[in-house]
Amino acid sequence: MNIKFIFQGVMTSFLLPMLLCCGCRNADRKELRSYEKGGKKISFLSGGEVPEEFKDYQSLSTNVQSSAYKFELLIKSENYWTPNPIRLFYGVGDDIIVEVNREEKEKESGYHYYKLDKSGTITDSLYHPLRGGLRSGFVGAYVVYLSSEEGYYYNTWPLNGDKTKKRIKILNQDLSWTTEKLEKTDHEISLDAKHIFYEAENQSGENGISWSLNKMFFFKGGIWQVLYRRQSFGADINDADKLRALRYDFFRTSNDRQPAEEENFELKFFEKTEWLSYGHAIGGGQAGFSTAGWSGTAYFNLPLNLDSLKIKVSDLIIEQEKADTGVIRYYRSHGSGENVSPFNLNYYTSRNLNYAIYSNDANHLYLVKKGE
């Protein structure tokens, strides 16, 4: 056996990762890398001096006046008890509806709703005061109200700004319909209704026998109606069939999330600043782990009104499981030896909007527009 050859092989295998590591530790080494996002391959540069094309990139800050972009504070909430007191969802057409949850110490506590057009202008508003026994939900062109005192009604404010209450018609209110009639009606509703959701209410019956009142709300023939039927006590409604499931919040104010959990920015260049060791705290009872890598400044392109907003973010670490094919994960660096935290950019826009939506904490909502 050639012991010398084996020893040299061991030394070679030991030195190989060290040499690779030393190579990657060279901040001046410029690399053209890529990653996959949304089914497409995106290229970016890493290392070396900042190329001229990236020197006009600016930090994204609501406190900085920039010729590239401007911030407009749209909504502020003093509600520090609700994790995301400002939420956005689409109304009718290109309208965006902003919901603001104001707590009791604020003026007009309750829920405030504002319509935004494609330019970010508030065109209308709606107010729901805090009141026990009243719930409401947005369903397409309608706001549906379920009140223990006033019953059920709706309006067409999302569609045309009309706040007039329209009563929801109750079918089988006395629970006298036969099983055959109930099944036939249920089938017809399922075939033709545009919107359907369910509610259940437990009832105390005679002789101590409790039961559940099932309520099938539906929009058909241009009006809202509700079908009553008796069910066994404790009959549950799936979350997907409840009123709240008919509305999708695409944006919530926060400093630790991003819209729809999807990155809407593209990495173009990564400037290496400091090689350091750092940790990942996994949580859930699992032990964390330590690793090492580059902390630096990332240069991003953000979509804005058919153009790009060019920004840079410092103290970031980027990780990629597999070079040139894997998804990139971004983390905020808190110094050598410290655990990193996830980096999220709570920024949203679309081709139908002339502005972007941004928040850097839970209580402020900004519009971002191109500079003059």
Side-chain angles (χ1 to χ4, degrees), residues 36 40 46 82 94 130 161 179 207 280 288 349:
E36 290 186 354
K40 68 176 182 178
S46 175
T82 303
D94 292 332
L130 288 176
T179 301
N207 303 320
H280 281 281
T349 190

Side-chain angles (χ1 to χ4, degrees), residues 23-31 46-50 272 294:
C24 68
R25 280 180 144 187
N26 183 1
D28 295 327
R29 178 186 175 188
K30 185 174 292 186
E31 302 173 281
S46 175
E49 292 186 10
V50 179
K272 299 173 181 177
W294 281 103

Side-chain angles (χ1 to χ4, degrees), residues 75-104:
I75 301 290
K76 180 181 178 182
S77 172
E78 299 294 336
N79 187 343
Y80 296 97
W81 296 99
T82 303
N84 312 108
I86 306 174
R87 307 180 182 198
L88 286 77
F89 54 96
Y90 274 98
V92 178
D94 292 332
D95 283 347
I96 286 177
I97 298 178
V98 182
E99 176 188 78
V100 186
N101 182 355
R102 302 193 187 281
E103 64 172 346
E104 292 184 3

Side-chain angles (χ1 to χ4, degrees), residues 76-297:
K76 180 181 178 182
S77 172
E78 299 294 336
N79 187 343
Y80 296 97
W81 296 99
T82 303
N84 312 108
I86 306 174
R87 307 180 182 198
L88 286 77
F89 54 96
Y90 274 98
V92 178
D94 292 332
D95 283 347
I96 286 177
I97 298 178
V98 182
E99 176 188 78
V100 186
N101 182 355
R102 302 193 187 281
E103 64 172 346
E104 292 184 3
K105 70 177 183 180
E106 295 184 82
K107 183 180 179 181
E108 294 187 328
S109 61
Y111 292 88
H112 293 254
Y113 299 91
Y114 304 93
K115 278 186 196 175
L116 300 182
D117 63 16
K118 65 182 301 181
S119 298
T121 302
I122 295 178
T123 61
D124 202 355
S125 63
L126 182 68
Y127 172 50
H128 292 171
L130 288 176
R131 189 188 311 163
L134 173 65
R135 291 182 297 122
S136 63
F138 283 73
V139 186
Y142 312 95
V143 186
V144 177
Y145 299 85
L146 309 178
S147 171
S148 58
E149 298 178 357
E150 301 178 67
Y152 319 128
Y153 54 95
Y154 67 99
N155 66 37
T156 57
W157 180 78
L159 176 65
N160 53 23
D162 189 354
K163 303 174 186 177
T164 305
K165 295 180 181 179
K166 299 176 176 64
R167 189 63 55 185
I168 294 178
K169 182 180 179 181
I170 302 176
L171 305 180
N172 192 30
Q173 187 168 7
D174 60 1
L175 302 176
S176 63
W177 287 13
T178 64
T179 301
E180 182 180 4
K181 185 175 181 179
L182 283 171
E183 291 178 351
K184 181 176 182 295
T185 305
D186 183 288
H187 179 69
E188 292 172 349
I189 292 170
S190 300
L191 286 177
D192 301 330
K194 186 175 182 180
H195 305 292
I196 299 176
F197 69 90
Y198 296 85
E199 296 280 327
E201 183 180 330
N202 291 326
Q203 306 285 328
S204 298
E206 297 178 359
N207 303 320
I209 300 176
S210 298
W211 53 282
S212 181
L213 177 62
N214 179 281
K215 307 171 185 179
M216 181 184 191
F217 290 86
F218 62 96
F219 184 80
K220 180 181 177 182
I223 61 171
W224 277 96
Q225 302 176 71
V226 56
L227 174 63
Y228 279 7
R229 73 184 104 190
R230 185 179 181 126
Q231 288 188 331
S232 58
F233 180 78
D236 198 13
I237 305 294
N238 292 327
D239 287 343
D241 295 325
K242 294 180 179 179
L243 174 60
R244 63 173 176 264
L246 298 181
R247 184 185 114 183
Y248 171 67
D249 297 337
F250 70 84
F251 189 97
R252 299 182 180 188
T253 49
S254 172
N255 62 347
D256 60 0
R257 63 178 292 147
Q258 52 203 26
E261 306 304 327
E262 181 178 340
E263 294 169 4
N264 50 14
F265 49 86
E266 290 187 0
L267 176 65
K268 307 306 289 184
F269 176 69
F270 183 66
E271 179 187 7
K272 299 173 181 177
T273 304
E274 179 185 7
W275 178 270
L276 47 73
S277 61
Y278 58 92
H280 281 281
I282 299 177
Q286 300 183 48
F289 63 93
S290 296
T291 185
W294 281 103
S295 171
T297 299

